[in-house]
Amino acid sequence: MLSLDYNNRFIHDILTERFQTANPSSIDQVVTDFDGVTFHISTPESKTKILISLYMKCFSELVNYGTLDLLNQIYGPYVHNPVENGYNFSIVIDLEQLPSTQEEREQLIISASLLKRNALAAPFHGAFAKQAELAEVVKKDPESTVLVNKKSVAENHMAIHYRDEEMIFLWPEHDRVTVVFSTRFLEEADRIFGKVFLQEFVDARRRPSIQTAPQVLFSYRDPPLEIRDVCGIQNEHDDTGFVTFVLFERHFTPQVREDCISHIQIFRNTLHYHIKASKAYMHQRMRKRVADFQKVLNRAKPDVEMERKTASGRSFMHA
């Protein structure tokens, strides 16, 4: 998958094509998504029943945060049991029993292509719900604010090992939900570009037009104090950075909550995409500059005199 969309475009395109054809063919495709996620799209029983299975490295952690309940709620009758061997969750779509309206069919296609996004959304929904509970507690007893927040960080933090050696941390407080990404920069150039890019996030809120955006903090090698001891982070690598998003209540109201979850999930992919794009642009500029210098050097070469002869045999030098 090459796109930075929230949904898997491969699944989206396959289902769109299958919903429109009168004579579907069999399929057996393994699709790799970002963050080591794998999909298996197949028709094991018949050509009209499409089985879509999901594998995520961190799925066992997500189950503890309510992912199964959320997925069963979203996909309902499409959930396939038992789950395909080697995968964490499966849904099956019968082409002979599709929704009657075109709008409902399009919604089913989008929902199926958002399988990974929905699986990773459960911890965010849980954090938002817990924040609402803490807000009610503090509203009744304002003097307990510090104690409530400190206890929440210790008891309600969630850690998701969604990539090798990289994690997502969430914890709610009475007026906010904090999300921390740990990300590794394997090359020195990546670290330099990453710092520049993330500093733009930090400085962006100084502009009057986007002061309502979430607060963004960046620390290199040192994790935030709130999770340094609570989550037992041991930063064994010198190339790890921590990006913190502070989401206030206005950022996850019921009207914008789903968009908030979708946007923040692909932050890591967006960051590294722009790092690679910046490196490619710099290399292109450097290659162009080298080519320009080469032309200058070629023009600066002295002309070589060549000996020529006339028809009569006389010699003369020709520049």
Side-chain angles (χ1 to χ4, degrees):
M1 178 176 171
L2 301 177
S3 172
L4 287 174
D5 292 335
Y6 319 127
N7 60 331
N8 188 287
R9 296 298 306 179
F10 193 88
I11 295 177
H12 185 280
D13 293 344
I14 284 183
L15 292 181
T16 300
E17 185 270 332
R18 294 306 169 103
F19 281 18
Q20 295 174 354
T21 184
N23 298 311
S25 59
S26 59
I27 184 173
D28 188 3
Q29 293 281 341
V30 175
V31 182
T32 301
D33 206 332
F34 290 116
D35 307 324
V37 175
T38 302
F39 293 98
H40 185 206
I41 309 169
S42 60
T43 52
E45 298 181 6
S46 68
K47 296 180 180 180
T48 60
K49 291 185 178 181
I50 303 176
L51 180 66
I52 303 174
S53 299
L54 166 74
Y55 170 78
M56 298 181 70
K57 178 179 179 291
C58 60
F59 196 84
S60 58
E61 293 176 330
L62 296 175
V63 169
N64 298 329
Y65 305 138
T67 287
L68 280 179
D69 293 336
L70 179 61
L71 292 179
N72 288 327
Q73 176 184 347
I74 294 174
Y75 296 102
Y78 300 103
V79 176
H80 184 268
N81 287 308
V83 177
E84 183 179 358
N85 187 34
Y87 292 85
N88 306 122
F89 189 80
S90 299
I91 61 174
V92 62
I93 298 176
D94 191 344
L95 299 179
E96 295 179 343
Q97 298 181 5
L98 293 176
S100 57
T101 66
Q102 183 63 27
E103 182 179 354
E104 291 175 326
R105 294 186 180 189
E106 292 177 357
Q107 185 59 41
L108 175 58
I109 293 174
I110 294 174
S111 181
S113 63
L114 288 173
L115 184 55
K116 171 199 169 185
R117 180 265 178 204
N118 291 334
L120 198 56
F124 292 90
H125 285 291
F128 296 155
K130 190 63 180 179
Q131 181 275 329
E133 296 178 9
L134 297 176
E136 289 297 324
V137 172
V138 171
K139 185 177 180 180
K140 296 178 181 178
D141 185 10
E143 295 182 357
S144 65
T145 301
V146 176
L147 181 61
V148 167
N149 289 337
K150 185 176 181 180
K151 184 178 179 181
S152 178
V153 173
E155 297 181 356
N156 299 317
H157 69 272
M158 291 173 276
I160 308 168
H161 297 74
Y162 74 117
R163 294 177 62 91
D164 293 336
E165 301 177 340
E166 295 187 20
M167 304 171 66
I168 301 176
F169 302 94
L170 302 91
W171 67 88
E173 299 179 45
H174 80 284
D175 62 342
R176 70 192 67 183
V177 171
T178 304
V179 183
V180 178
F181 286 83
S182 69
T183 183
R184 292 191 63 192
F185 300 103
L186 300 180
E187 299 179 6
E188 180 63 27
D190 290 357
R191 289 193 284 272
I192 295 173
F193 280 108
K195 287 182 179 180
V196 173
F197 186 77
L198 292 170
Q199 190 60 42
E200 287 295 321
F201 270 78
V202 176
D203 296 340
R205 296 183 76 250
R206 298 177 182 176
R207 304 173 188 172
S209 59
I210 53 176
Q211 286 185 347
T212 58
Q215 183 181 6
V216 181
L217 306 173
F218 174 67
S219 60
Y220 188 58
R221 300 179 182 176
D222 295 324
L225 292 174
E226 293 88 346
I227 60 174
R228 189 172 299 173
D229 298 324
V230 172
C231 297
I233 298 178
Q234 295 181 355
N235 188 14
E236 301 174 354
H237 307 281
D238 293 335
D239 51 13
T240 302
F242 296 88
V243 186
T244 303
F245 290 88
V246 182
L247 304 177
F248 294 99
E249 292 178 281
R250 65 177 180 272
H251 298 130
F252 50 87
T253 61
Q255 294 78 13
V256 300
R257 179 168 300 183
E258 298 301 328
D259 286 340
C260 173
I261 294 174
S262 297
H263 285 125
I264 203 166
Q265 279 189 17
I266 65 169
F267 165 76
R268 193 264 179 198
N269 302 327
T270 304
L271 170 63
H272 284 267
Y273 167 80
H274 281 284
I275 291 174
K276 291 177 174 58
S278 299
K279 291 170 65 177
Y281 175 73
M282 293 294 293
H283 290 164
Q284 181 183 14
R285 291 291 301 273
M286 286 188 290
R287 286 192 294 268
K288 185 178 184 302
R289 181 59 62 87
V290 169
D292 292 339
F293 286 155
Q294 190 65 47
K295 292 178 181 178
V296 173
L297 290 175
N298 291 337
R299 290 195 298 267
K301 288 182 179 179
D303 294 332
V304 179
E305 294 184 348
M306 299 178 62
E307 184 178 357
R308 298 290 181 89
K309 291 185 177 182
T310 65
S312 61
R314 297 179 60 184
S315 299
F316 68 94
M317 304 303 296
H318 177 73

